[in-house]
Amino acid sequence: MSLSQYLIEEQLKLPQATGDFTALMSHLVYAAKIVSREVRKAGLLDNILGSTDQTNVQGETVMKLDEYADRIFTHTLTRCGHLCVMGSEEQEEIVPVPTGYKIGKYTIAIDPLDGSSNIDANVSIGTIFSVHLRSSPQGTPGTKEDLLQKGAKQRAAGYIVYGSSTMLVLSVGVGKGVSGFTLDPSCGEFILSHPEMKMPESGGIYSINEGNYNYWSDEVKNYIRDIKSIEGGRKPQSARYIGSLVADFHRNLLKGGIFLYPNDTKSSKYPKGKLRLLYEVAPMALIAEQAGGMAVTVDGQRILDLQPSELHERTTFIVGSKKEVEHFLTFVRK
Ligand code: P6P
């Protein structure tokens, strides 16, 4: 089954469906194919590798492929007639629908190319997206409030991982589960390769940047020490950390495990955590929960219950197999 057929079958299950969501997703998939094509040849074209002399809203050096991906997704989606407003990691302010184009009923928040510091090293990178129904009146220009909605209300969420193959992992909402589609370059279609994805209930992998050890809270330190323990003949968990959220998350989704990005308690670098709630953490949290996993903050709040207040706000992120996250929570929930 192709992704197009899957989306149409999902649409047919909803008597009230108008086809707008299917059309929106089709435009997203088109843009993803274009970005995938450019990522695949990044090493060959010197005009898109390396860094520009600019920094993005995060203060990070913008890699040319970042800019390219942002342009492709922004141009395609704001003109497709099914969005009222868009948010992008690469753009400080909300991105409106250009004058003269139809205003739709959905919003999308996107990280066009996450993990971009790895592009030159040929490490897997990805796109992460989150779709909501607008909350403001139909037909009017979308607002920031249309984007600032709780993750539990997402109409869809997913990511594209540009790895050994290009895969799109998607949940079309709460209760809809997770499906994985692999891009077949020979026909340019995403094919259903991983139906009904389930995160193993436990897993032997933990992913955290141990270089930040001295910034962690005592609770996080105690947890990491515990899962590395060999006392009483225990088997320590394996450390796997790519430094690209999509890649680390995708591996744990398939194999089981836990990913942690806690906050810095002893530095001003990331006092609230590094990852972005709207277009990195909330969509990944929906995927995790819909695949049977869990996603919480470092103090045990459910990610999907968080009310965003700013477009680029950061949060701590603990996500993975249900038993692994529950074990983490015994260290932070007293
Ligand atoms: P650190 C990539 O820059 C990113 O935003 C995520 O993809 C990744 O999980 C995280 O930052 C890595 O951060 O501080 O470990 O390099």
Side-chain angles (χ1 to χ4, degrees), residues 189-207:
E189 274 293 346
F190 279 99
I191 306 299
L192 181 62
S193 52
H194 298 67
E196 296 178 19
M197 297 181 83
K198 290 295 175 203
M199 190 181 272
E201 203 171 44
S202 61
I205 293 171
Y206 76 98
S207 307

Side-chain angles (χ1 to χ4, degrees), residues 60 89 111 114-118 128 208-209 212 241-246 248 259 261 269-270 274-275 280:
E60 296 162 344
E89 194 219 19
D111 186 349
D114 177 73
S116 53
S117 57
N118 293 299
I128 311 170
I208 190 168
N209 185 340
N212 297 327
Y241 193 72
I242 301 170
S244 177
L245 175 61
V246 174
D248 278 315
F259 172 93
Y261 209 109
K269 190 176 178 188
Y270 296 125
K274 173 181 185 183
L275 302 177
E280 290 176 341

Side-chain angles (χ1 to χ4, degrees), residues 105-167:
K105 62 185 179 185
Y106 292 103
T107 76
I108 198 163
I110 192 165
D111 186 349
L113 209 56
D114 177 73
S116 53
S117 57
N118 293 299
I119 292 174
D120 287 357
N122 210 5
V123 169
S124 297
I125 51 184
T127 298
I128 311 170
F129 60 90
S130 167
V131 178
H132 279 281
L133 267 172
R134 71 180 304 169
S135 52
S136 58
Q138 297 293 356
T140 59
T143 65
K144 187 184 284 189
E145 286 61 38
D146 285 310
L147 289 162
L148 300 179
Q149 299 187 56
K150 288 185 179 181
K153 294 176 66 180
Q154 289 177 98
R155 173 63 181 78
Y159 60 86
I160 299 107
V161 52
Y162 310 103
S164 44
S165 66
T166 294
M167 262 195 81

